[in-house]
Amino acid sequence: QVQLVESGGGLMQAGGSLRLSCAASGSIFSINVMGWYRQAPGKQRELVAIISRNGSTNYAEAVKGRFTISRDNAKNTAYLQMSSLKPEDTAVYYCNAKGTLRPLSLFDDWGQGTQVTVSS
């Protein structure tokens, strides 16, 4: 099992920036994909951005040009730099990681979530 710990959420005014971090730990052999998802009150969880081990990225249309996902493979950590924040970005942000454990089994785990609130 993999533990994912998110940090960096908080309250920010519209137009501001926040940086989220997600650190993975456990008997990890490799992490293939790391991603950020969010869930606003009364809505389903949705993809924000994902990044593969080789750095390929994919973003939701709503955040393209404003959010940047990155990762440090040596630290098993992913980041989400959020800029030009809007009130509609308010949600609980969850980290997800998919990969391989030692000795050799697959994992697909979630963090506990971090609240991001953007005021107008």
Side-chain angles (χ1 to χ4, degrees), residues 41-81:
K43 295 187 177 181
Q44 290 188 330
R45 190 173 298 188
E46 63 178 6
L47 170 72
V48 176
I50 57 173
I51 183 168
S52 66
R53 184 169 183 81
N54 66 6
S56 298
T57 59
N58 191 28
Y59 295 91
E61 285 295 327
V63 306
K64 280 185 179 178
R66 300 188 298 119
F67 291 10
T68 301
I69 189 170
S70 61
R71 63 188 283 178
D72 183 333
N73 291 331
K75 295 181 179 180
N76 287 333
T77 299
Y79 306 94
L80 185 68
Q81 179 67 47

Side-chain angles (χ1 to χ4, degrees), residues 19-58:
R19 188 192 194 208
L20 305 183
S21 298
C22 172
S25 62
S27 299
I28 299 169
F29 178 71
S30 68
I31 301 177
N32 297 329
V33 179
M34 297 190 79
W36 290 96
Y37 294 73
R38 67 187 181 186
Q39 187 167 18
K43 295 187 177 181
Q44 290 188 330
R45 190 173 298 188
E46 63 178 6
L47 170 72
V48 176
I50 57 173
I51 183 168
S52 66
R53 184 169 183 81
N54 66 6
S56 298
T57 59
N58 191 28

